[in-house]
Amino acid sequence: MHSSASPVRKAAAELIGTAALVAVVVGSGLQAARLTDDTGVQLLANSLASAIGLGLLIALFGPVSGGHLNPVVTLSSWWLGRRDGRGPGTREAVAYVLAQTAGAVVGALLAEAMFGRAQVVWSTQERLGDRLLLGEVVATAGLVLLICGLNRIGRQQLAPVAVAAYIAAAIWFTSSGSFANPAATVGRAFTDSFTGISPGSLPGFIGAQLAGGALGLALASLLYGPSRPAGPEYGPSRPVSPEGAETPAVRLPSATPRSH
């Protein structure tokens, strides 16, 4: 179930939220590179800042748009909710994806400007090879499975912490560094830093992320049965237990009434 916010407000929340997320990812990477030449320390600082920022943004924007901030999450929610209407409609899903992609580009350019790198340049960080693409499939599948699982067992209130913790871990345990977000991947093509990705690497990464999203949905169906509740939202829904019994909806802590 979505909030009662207008479509424009929801799209704005996705644009601003994704811009903030990519600014955190790119900006923390630039800051880490300035402070140390140790790549391990750089990655540690970047992963911690990215995870903390993601968790806070999900909690902040969840009550407005669901806090997707990721086209894979939006498309998964649309796919699971297309029969019962609990997920975003086709137009809303398209608006979300466009807003997320635009926001990601804005966020990357903002981070570059904050660190005195205002000129627009493409990333030269090539990320090619089957092992990296496999890492993206694994990272994205795990993310979608986690979000679907939290919804199916009625634990949506854990999403900000659980998703942030998963991303922090996946940055380290996957070979690709867990981009796991097509919009953020596009945005990171606009930074020539260690968090960037070259334009030539985009098709492979985005394809792997979409495949990972489909795999995550398949695993969720295998583990929890055919989809009955809302899709992978961070907001409230009427979850169904693995046995099929309905459980009360769980809401994210919020100062505003709740109706991703």
Side-chain angles (χ1 to χ4, degrees):
M1 183 185 296
H2 293 287
S3 75
S4 59
S6 69
V8 172
R9 184 173 294 178
K10 290 179 181 180
E14 288 297 305
L15 189 152
I16 296 168
T18 309
L21 173 61
V22 175
V24 169
V25 173
V26 174
S28 62
L30 292 172
Q31 184 74 285
R34 284 189 170 192
L35 296 176
T36 179
D37 293 327
D38 188 318
T39 55
V41 174
Q42 290 176 5
L43 185 60
L44 178 61
N46 180 242
S47 62
L48 287 176
S50 299
I52 293 170
L54 176 59
L56 292 173
L57 290 168
I58 291 172
L60 178 63
F61 291 101
V64 181
S65 66
H68 291 194
L69 315 181
N70 186 335
V72 169
V73 176
T74 296
L75 293 175
S76 298
S77 181
W78 166 80
W79 177 260
L80 292 178
R82 69 194 188 285
R83 292 193 181 98
D84 56 22
R86 297 187 187 185
T90 300
R91 288 185 179 180
E92 187 174 53
V94 170
Y96 271 34
V97 171
L98 293 176
Q100 291 157 356
T101 304
V105 174
V106 170
L109 296 179
L110 175 62
E112 290 278 306
M114 286 193 295
F115 285 86
R117 297 157 53 102
Q119 63 179 4
V120 178
V121 294
W122 291 110
S123 174
T124 58
Q125 289 281 343
E126 291 190 351
R127 300 178 187 269
L128 304 171
D130 293 343
R131 64 182 184 85
L132 297 184
L133 299 184
L134 177 60
E136 277 301 282
V137 171
V138 171
T140 313
L143 175 63
V144 171
L145 176 59
L146 172 63
I147 298 170
C148 287
L150 290 175
N151 274 271
R152 295 303 298 271
I153 64 176
R155 295 292 183 269
Q156 299 95 322
Q157 79 277 16
L158 298 178
V161 173
V163 172
Y166 173 79
I167 291 298
I171 288 173
W172 283 90
F173 80 76
T174 62
S175 57
S176 64
S178 184
F179 282 46
N181 183 331
T185 302
V186 171
R188 289 165 68 169
F190 288 82
T191 174
D192 194 17
S193 61
F194 90 89
T195 59
I197 178 171
S198 66
S201 303
L202 291 180
F205 260 56
I206 293 174
Q209 291 158 359
L210 295 175
L215 177 59
L217 288 173
L219 291 174
S221 179
L222 173 66
L223 293 172
Y224 300 104
S227 172
R228 287 180 56 194
E233 302 281 335
Y234 300 122
S237 65
R238 290 189 58 80
V240 178
S241 69
E243 292 76 22
E246 290 192 0
T247 57
V250 181
R251 298 178 181 271
L252 282 172
S254 172
T256 57
R258 295 292 300 278
S259 282
H260 192 350

